Amino acid sequence: MTDLSDLAPAAWPARAAAAWPALPLLVALALWVYATRHTDVSALDDFGLVSALHPTFWAGLAVLTAGFWFTVRDQRRPGAWSLAYVLVLLVMERATQALLYPTPLYAWAWKHDAVIDHLLTSGGLQGADRLGDMAVYDQWPGFFAAQAALVRLLGVDNAAMYMAWWPLVSSVLLLLPLLLIYRTFTEDRRLIWTAVWLFCVGNWVGQDYFSPQSVAFALHLGVLAVVLRRYGRSGGPHGRQGQAVWTVLLSVLVTAIVVSHQLTPGMLVVTLVALALTRRYRDWVPAVTTVVIFLAWCLTAALPFLSAAMPDMIRSIGDIGANVETGYGTTPTGTGAVATSWAARLLSGSVLLLALAGVVRQRVLRHRALPLLLIAAAPLPMFAASSYGSEMIFRVLMFMLPGAAFFAAAALLPKVRTLAADAAARDTAPPSPATPVRPRRVPLPALPRPRYGVWVPLLVLLAGTLAFVPSYSGKDRVNYFPPREVALVQQLFDQAPDDSLVVAANRNYPLAYEQYWRVDHYWFLDDDRRHVDEIVRDPATVLARDMAAVEPPARAYFLLTRGQTANSEMNGQLDRAQLDRIRESVASSPAFELVAENDGGVLYVLTPAS
């Protein structure tokens, strides 16, 4: 055992100063644990998870942000402390929902689980002649094939067993390529980790859920990391000796992207072309390799889908206004929906404004880190290419974020360093003396003294970190499906015969695509607005007419759930009163028979006589 009396008197203060970053971490985690144990999500309002969270959650985020800021500013502290803060941030951001909600979020995640289930049960996916728009998964099956293999490897029943935790997993996967990208331009740990923090809090778009996009985005960053670190002219001949090996690795990464997602290869192409136009990265191998693999897939496996979609894609080229416009059914409605939507806009706008300030303020970055500026700007032309289902603006923001976060971090810091500037300083520095001088150990200081340059950036960082929560979780009333709602929909698919029809207001309910290969769906709010008005005027009569074409032994079901109502209300379609009128009309009509009802929704079936 150590004799404490032998320690120098100054040892304890020095050790305490070195270990103080652990205190905010532990306090933040304790507050977060307490908050998750005392948060009730049984009755979410229009503010989603924001109003349901216990106040200690917000206190924990504030303590974590302050601890991170004062830790990252001291360059003598090991980077492991900053990594620990970022990991705790991701846990608080992305794991909170997985702990609070007993069922996975987001209807599209349930949809992807249904595709994987079909792949596991049938051994393959369907073609374009069988399932219409669902055939897109047959032409980009990479993610689903990998998940089917993972389900079998883990020995679980389906992907729903773990997909609630996918946002945390996919966000952690982004850290390695991000760090490699940023370390290509600087060894300044303050700049690197502040950029990573801003990326985490600015990535509110929600594409980290259980989806092909989440994996494709991580692979996209991996390709950029390889290109930036191994294809730059500054690497010299020694850095290019293994270029064939790196080209093979690039080909593997690009192929994984191309077979998994439709949009990400296009974003990657425009980014690689922008880099190839610079003097430092004037190597067309990555861009040409990506284009060749992308075209090869589009002209073979994906050709059936692209042939059908090409006319609409051509019409949307150049129509920037229509591509950016959200359209009917995607307009936030209600106090909570509007407030959370503005929080998201202000968060993204603030990161972009900070990035602009960083470009102006840190002159050395404009030249030394120009490739990152190009990475931030390269996705912008995609506005002219397509609306991507009214989501192009969100995807562009996400692909801009890695570069924008770097310059935004530079705006919050004093003078930053780059690798190129450090190398130039070493080349011009006078030679060091022959006899090395042993550096004197200086104890780490306590908290920095209050200064304008410390507290203002901290407040900016804190505001962005807190704004992430409403931006990311503000629509949880739409995205969360309570167990009773899941049970109601499961009951439907347990009894529906083959070739049955499910009629619902919209597709925002769990298991919406369950057994999609044998059960058809019709969502009347996706139909022409005139037909929707016709249904509102005389619900039971019009719906019975629409459902009458189903031939026995198949059945026609009418399903209206809590999730459908929340989605319709918060996105500017039909309000609760109109949907209640539809429900009451169906309930009172002799053409329909009640199958099941609980607080998650109602299920009716069209009677054979009708």
Side-chain angles (χ1 to χ4, degrees):
M1 297 179 61
T2 303
D3 186 357
L4 299 183
S5 62
D6 293 338
L7 293 178
W12 280 109
R15 290 187 178 185
W20 79 260
L23 180 61
L25 273 176
L26 295 175
V27 171
L29 280 172
L31 291 171
W32 173 70
V33 170
Y34 184 87
T36 56
R37 294 175 63 87
H38 293 82
T39 296
D40 181 14
V41 296
S42 60
L44 298 176
D45 59 16
D46 287 353
F47 289 89
L49 188 60
V50 178
S51 56
L53 282 169
H54 193 272
T56 53
F57 178 87
W58 305 98
L61 268 185
V63 171
L64 185 73
T65 306
F68 167 79
W69 180 243
F70 288 116
T71 299
V72 80
R73 281 180 58 86
D74 190 342
Q75 298 188 74
R76 291 174 293 178
R77 294 196 183 278
W81 282 117
S82 299
L83 173 61
Y85 273 95
V86 169
L87 290 176
V88 173
L89 173 69
L90 290 178
V91 168
M92 295 181 68
E93 284 183 344
R94 264 78 179 184
T96 300
Q97 293 166 310
L99 289 173
L100 291 178
Y101 298 125
T103 57
L105 292 176
Y106 204 39
W108 287 88
W110 291 85
K111 174 182 180 179
H112 296 155
D113 178 47
V115 177
I116 296 166
D117 181 58
H118 185 211
L119 188 60
L120 287 169
T121 54
S122 66
L125 299 176
Q126 299 292 334
D129 58 333
R130 292 288 304 277
L131 294 171
D133 61 348
M134 288 299 290
V136 67
Y137 298 114
D138 186 48
Q139 281 127 73
W140 282 275
F143 172 80
F144 306 104
Q147 291 299 327
L150 181 61
V151 167
R152 286 182 172 169
L153 179 65
L154 296 177
V156 296
D157 293 335
N158 49 49
M161 303 293 290
Y162 59 82
M163 68 185 186
W165 294 93
W166 194 259
L168 176 61
V169 173
S170 62
S171 297
V172 172
L173 288 177
L174 298 177
L175 293 182
L176 177 59
L178 270 180
L179 291 173
L180 291 175
I181 289 172
Y182 294 154
R183 284 179 62 84
T184 306
F185 302 98
T186 181
E187 289 183 348
D188 189 334
R189 288 202 297 266
R190 302 169 307 159
L191 180 56
I192 292 172
W193 287 107
T194 304
V196 171
W197 185 280
L198 285 174
F199 175 87
C200 293
V201 302
N203 189 20
W204 61 267
V205 175
Q207 294 306 309
D208 54 358
Y209 77 104
F210 187 71
S211 65
Q213 174 70 92
S214 63
V215 176
F217 186 52
L219 296 172
H220 169 87
L221 293 182
V223 171
L224 295 183
V226 172
V227 172
L228 292 174
R229 295 182 70 85
R230 296 299 174 181
Y231 286 83
R233 299 179 67 181
S234 60
H238 297 290
R240 301 173 66 86
Q241 288 176 354
Q243 193 176 83
V245 176
W246 293 111
T247 301
V248 172
L249 176 60
L250 276 181
S251 301
V252 173
L253 294 176
V254 170
T255 301
I257 295 172
V258 167
V259 304
S260 300
H261 199 244
Q262 307 86 37
L263 178 66
T264 305
M267 291 288 190
L268 182 59
V269 167
V270 296
T271 304
L272 293 178
V273 169
L275 290 175
L277 293 175
T278 64
R279 294 180 59 186
R280 183 174 177 182
Y281 294 97
R282 193 166 293 169
D283 190 332
W284 287 89
V285 170
V288 172
T289 301
T290 303
V291 170
V292 169
I293 297 174
F294 188 26
L295 288 178
W297 188 262
C298 291
L299 296 176
T300 54
L303 187 59
F305 175 82
L306 293 176
S307 299
M310 192 59 67
D312 290 336
M313 294 171 64
I314 293 175
R315 281 194 296 268
S316 66
I317 294 177
D319 192 356
I320 298 178
N323 292 343
V324 175
E325 186 180 9
T326 55
Y328 169 71
T330 56
T331 303
T333 304
T335 303
V338 172
T340 55
S341 176
W342 273 105
R345 297 177 188 179
L346 291 174
L347 177 56
S348 291
S350 299
V351 172
L352 295 178
L353 287 176
L354 279 175
L356 180 60
V359 172
V360 174
R361 182 168 177 260
Q362 305 285 2
R363 298 179 57 187
V364 67
L365 294 181
R366 291 204 293 269
H367 174 66
R368 305 295 187 182
L370 176 63
L372 278 178
L373 191 59
L374 292 176
I375 288 175
L380 290 173
M382 297 300 289
F383 281 131
S386 171
S387 68
Y388 202 68
S390 300
E391 290 189 4
M392 183 58 75
I393 186 171
F394 305 113
R395 305 303 177 94
V396 168
L397 284 172
M398 184 176 69
F399 281 90
M400 292 177 65
L401 189 57
F406 183 83
F407 289 96
L412 297 178
L413 295 168
K415 185 177 180 181
V416 297
R417 305 190 320 272
T418 64
L419 286 177
D422 288 348
R426 287 193 297 267
D427 292 340
T428 58
S432 57
T435 303
V437 179
R438 185 176 181 180
R440 182 172 59 90
R441 182 178 180 182
V442 180
L444 292 170
L447 291 175
R449 293 189 303 272
R451 295 193 304 272
Y452 176 84
V454 174
W455 296 104
V456 172
L458 171 59
L459 293 176
V460 173
L461 202 66
L462 179 59
T465 304
L466 296 178
F468 171 86
V469 180
S471 303
Y472 186 77
S473 307
K475 288 190 174 182
D476 279 7
R477 181 188 165 213
V478 172
N479 296 329
Y480 168 53
F481 308 113
R484 299 268 287 173
E485 185 174 354
V486 176
L488 178 72
V489 181
Q490 187 63 61
Q491 182 178 349
L492 161 63
F493 289 106
D494 286 344
Q495 72 174 46
D498 289 353
D499 300 320
S500 292
L501 173 68
V502 177
V503 175
N506 52 54
R507 65 193 74 196
N508 190 64
Y509 53 93
L511 305 164
Y513 294 83
E514 183 78 2
Q515 304 177 27
Y516 62 89
W517 54 93
R518 70 174 191 88
V519 176
D520 294 327
H521 296 80
Y522 167 55
W523 301 287
F524 60 80
L525 289 182
D526 290 349
D527 212 339
D528 182 83
R529 179 68 192 189
R530 289 174 296 180
H531 188 64
V532 174
D533 293 337
E534 187 180 1
I535 292 175
V536 172
R537 285 193 297 269
D538 191 0
T541 302
V542 176
L543 288 173
R545 184 192 66 197
D546 292 344
M547 301 163 65
V550 178
E551 297 181 359
R555 307 296 300 273
Y557 297 90
F558 173 74
L559 176 70
L560 186 62
T561 64
R562 184 211 60 83
Q564 295 175 51
T565 303
N567 183 276
S568 180
E569 277 191 307
M570 294 186 66
N571 288 300
Q573 294 177 309
L574 301 183
D575 58 29
R576 179 179 291 275
Q578 292 172 309
L579 290 172
D580 285 345
R581 184 173 182 275
I582 293 175
R583 175 176 175 170
E584 293 166 1
S585 176
V586 170
S588 61
S589 171
F592 292 90
E593 178 184 341
L594 180 66
V595 176
E597 179 178 10
N598 60 33
D599 53 10
V602 293
L603 175 64
Y604 288 87
V605 65
L606 188 68
T607 58
S610 302

